[in-house]
DNA sequence: TTGAAAGCGCTAACAG
DNA sequence: CTGTTAGCGCTTTCAA
């Protein structure tokens, strides 16, 4: 059995309160007493029971991170950065996967499991604006991504529209005119897919180029395999294009795979642009031009914001939205034809 | 304030014990009483306080998964499967990153944080056989990977030596003779790198081919960038080779990138073999032949084993080692020259 | 500066 | 079948 505060107190011949004071680095403890207590702690190998502390104090020193799926590289890299940022603040991270499924996302928001942690960083994929009410929760909550605007919770996110527009303009500037899109979501408006498509359309409109639905390929989850499928579909349609904008990197990579399989040269025949700046993008063949949406900043800001809300305990002012800076990472896949 | 058992009991006009019985699905509750209690639970939106339950029962319904880094695809995909398996068993997962650093790994094993969960699935990278004593811990522990043999804890792992040997033999069988290795760890014996290199040497020896140190490139963490660096080094050495065995997929992918950059055709000039069967390997260009080491089975078995130990609470018998089956996934990168 | 004691919300004897 | 009660290990008033 692990040693408790009582055991330490008994051994050090002081009261349990004094031991507690030492552990929590409270100032008012005599140095002789402190030394005695510390000796006893070392001797017994005492380590505080975090569950008991959590019950008593209401603070668990843990947060939950909910993402669709860690097998999606973007979320894996995001999670890595969230965990690192939390660790730096002395907080641990419980990771939940929702599969991007609306029902599971809604269920998670009301799950008793959440009371094991002090708050939630939530990256929804299936929920939409109509579910904004579900975000009225009794615990600190930070939302990532754009499915929901103007909600009751803090929001940390990337500039999807502006960044996608910049990506498209970059393609346009390099002389491409017929830009296919891979990974769109039929009829979506508020999700990442819808927003990035809006950015694409804005760029087209600004350049006086007509939007052509036939150049848009739709898919479900943004897996590499779906990028490949989209590209096969585009090729099957027989539509002509000189560039592809993958709505994220894995889609772009999957599409690029199929392009080369079909004997189409990248970038000579078709330029490829991604979105996310995954760690692997400099190592694809050819290396992938993409948009760095500020993932690291998003992770750090989400953790910082959540911990602030936890500390403020309700008195923290109205919900805020914070936007990350983005940047185009130019690589080989979009080199001049 | 959230409703408690007391609130529910008061509203349903029963004792707190009865409410507890209902919640924990204990059989001995009259159906009329049960209905009353359930109504009260619904009315108050009662949700059990898991922290209190954990303190009282000693069971938290959570486990810890410690991996080097979620930004490494192998660990991200492993974590995804561990979390899914745990979820199926009604358990949540706290994820820790050690960076593969020995000191951090050792520190984690003694961290008070671990008492927030019921047990640990641990994938060490920096620790070695000399640290086997650190695995004598007071909580249920399952070790993943091969850094440590014959330890006091259950061990779920892949067949590194046999699988690497099979991979090398596959290359040999397809007519390749000078097989470079990317990602070796200088002087390592018990780690994945050392074991996979042993498998490589076994295959060479069995085929009567001499082992040539000049064909081996060393690296640190198995990042894609390091695979690229290794390949640059190999090319700089001017040594001749007709195949590359990447000790994992990301290394192989990074190496393949550099090969093509140098105008060397894969697989015509050089065949490339990976290890891990990452989700992206069918979509690289060319698609990557690799070893599926049984990652999904490992994740599910690790969770099952850990939960069993947790349930057995010490009376579970001696530590066991479980080995996953492996399989070569043949793709384009090793097609006949 | 330190001690005694209450109680966080729950489970599990033990009674009835 | 249901109620009473004693803690799990900790933090935290309140006194001394």
């Amino acid at each position: 059995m692990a040693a408790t505060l009582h055991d330490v107190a008994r051994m050090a011949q002081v009261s349990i309160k004094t031991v507690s004071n030492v552990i929590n680095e409270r100032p008012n403890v005599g140095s002789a007493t402190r030394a005695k207590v510390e000796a006893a702690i070392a001797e017994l190998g005492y380590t505080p029971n975090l569950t008991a502390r959590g019950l008593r104090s209401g603070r668990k020193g843990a947060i939950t991170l909910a993402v669709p799926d860690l097998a999606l590289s973007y979320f894996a890299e995001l999670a890595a950065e969230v965990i690192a940022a939390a660790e730096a603040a002395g907080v641990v991270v419980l990771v939940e996967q929702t599969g991007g499924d609306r029902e599971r996302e809604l269920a998670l928001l009301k799950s008793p499991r959440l009371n094991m942690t002090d708050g939630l960083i939530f990256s929804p994929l299936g929920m939409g604006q109509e579910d904004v009410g579900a975000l009225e929760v009794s615990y600190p909550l930070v939302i990532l991504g754009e499915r929901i605007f103007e909600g009751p919770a803090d929001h940390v996110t990337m500039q999807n529209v502006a960044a996608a527009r910049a990506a498209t303009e970059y393609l346009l500037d390099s002389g491409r005119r017929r830009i296919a899109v891979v990974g769109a979501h039929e009829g979506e408006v508020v999700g990442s897919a819808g927003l990035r498509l809006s950015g694409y359309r804005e760029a087209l409109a600004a350049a006086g180029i007509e939007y052509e639905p036939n150049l848009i390929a739709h898919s479900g989850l943004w897996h590499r395999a779906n990028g490949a499928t989209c590209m096969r579909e585009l090729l099957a349609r027989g539509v002509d294009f000189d560039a592809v904008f993958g709505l994220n990197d894995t889609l772009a990579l999957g599409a690029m795979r199929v392009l080369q399989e079909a004997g189409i040269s990248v970038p000579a025949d078709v330029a490829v642009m991604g979105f996310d700046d995954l760690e692997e993008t400099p190592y694809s063949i050819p290396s992938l031009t993409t948009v760095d949406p500020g993932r690291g900043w998003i992770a750090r800001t989400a953790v910082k914001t959540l911990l602030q809300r936890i500390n403020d305990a309700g008195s923290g002012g109205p919900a805020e939205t914070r936007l990350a800076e983005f940047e185009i990472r130019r690589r080989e896949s979009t080199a001049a034809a």
Side-chain angles (χ1 to χ4, degrees), chain A:
Chain A
M1 213 48 221
T4 76
L5 227 42
H6 280 99
D7 301 327
V8 176
R10 200 173 323 116
M11 173 168 256
Q13 318 238 48
V14 297
S15 89
I16 168 180
K17 165 68 167 138
T18 304
V19 180
S20 173
N21 281 341
V22 170
I23 287 162
N24 296 291
E25 290 165 341
R26 225 74 77 176
N28 46 348
V29 181
S31 62
T33 318
R34 159 164 282 124
K36 257 197 315 187
V37 172
E38 279 168 350
I41 288 175
E43 164 108 20
L44 291 168
Y46 168 79
T47 156
N49 180 320
L50 266 18
T51 305
R53 180 179 288 176
L55 174 57
R56 181 61 240 218
S57 70
R59 282 284 262 299
K60 291 94 180 180
I63 60 177
T64 299
L65 170 68
V67 295
D69 187 350
L70 283 183
L72 298 171
S73 297
Y74 176 80
F75 294 110
E77 296 185 13
L78 178 71
E81 299 187 270
V82 165
I83 293 172
E87 154 122 58
V91 167
V92 292
V93 181
L94 206 149
V95 181
E96 298 263 7
Q97 295 184 128
T98 62
D101 180 69
R102 175 169 174 268
E103 301 305 324
R104 285 175 69 190
E105 290 175 350
L106 257 12
L108 178 69
L109 285 168
K110 325 177 97 69
S111 168
R113 294 159 162 200
L114 289 175
N115 68 26
M116 291 181 59
T117 59
D118 298 320
L120 172 65
I121 296 177
F122 185 33
S123 181
L125 206 56
M127 293 172 55
Q129 190 67 39
E130 72 276 18
D131 300 309
V132 68
L135 298 179
E136 302 264 8
V137 294
S138 57
Y139 47 83
L141 171 64
V142 172
I143 301 291
L144 263 29
E146 272 80 9
R147 298 284 310 176
I148 293 161
F149 292 104
E150 308 285 328
D154 290 313
H155 202 159
V156 179
T157 188
M158 60 185 66
Q159 302 187 46
N160 274 309
V161 178
R165 176 173 176 162
T168 308
E169 282 167 350
Y170 179 86
L171 253 14
L172 257 12
D173 288 348
S174 64
R176 312 285 174 167
R177 279 298 168 271
R178 300 185 54 77
I179 306 173
V181 172
V182 157
H185 289 169
E186 197 81 55
E188 184 188 281
V189 178
V190 297
S192 302
L195 294 168
R196 292 178 194 173
L197 192 62
S198 300
Y200 163 85
R201 296 186 68 160
E202 279 187 11
L204 249 44
I209 295 175
E210 204 181 342
Y211 171 73
E212 211 173 305
N214 210 29
L215 282 170
I216 311 300
H218 298 264
S219 83
L221 269 192
W222 284 351
H223 272 119
R224 208 169 298 254
N226 285 332
T229 306
C230 280
M231 183 47 70
R232 284 199 197 93
E233 189 187 314
L234 243 15
L235 293 175
R237 278 184 205 165
V239 23
D240 197 48
F241 53 88
D242 58 10
V244 178
F245 180 18
L247 261 21
N248 87 348
D249 285 342
T250 38
L251 288 167
L253 260 7
M256 195 155 74
R257 169 76 184 80
V258 170
L259 276 173
Q260 304 212 241
E261 205 168 55
I264 297 166
S265 164
V266 176
D269 300 328
V270 171
V272 178
M273 165 74 71
F275 197 114
D276 275 352
D277 193 34
L278 295 186
E279 292 192 2
E280 68 182 278
T281 50
Y283 302 98
S284 64
I285 307 169
S287 59
L288 184 70
T289 298
T290 184
V291 181
D292 172 359
R295 188 179 53 248
W297 183 89
I298 289 174
R300 291 188 298 277
T301 304
V303 170
K304 195 171 66 181
T305 305
L306 185 63
L307 294 181
Q308 240 153 38
R309 288 289 175 189
I310 290 168
N311 286 329
D312 292 351
S315 63
E320 283 179 30
T321 294
R322 300 191 217 279
L323 293 177
E325 298 296 314
F326 63 89
E327 200 161 339
I328 306 275
R329 302 276 174 223
R330 59 188 294 178
R331 303 206 179 92
E332 295 164 358
S333 67
T334 55

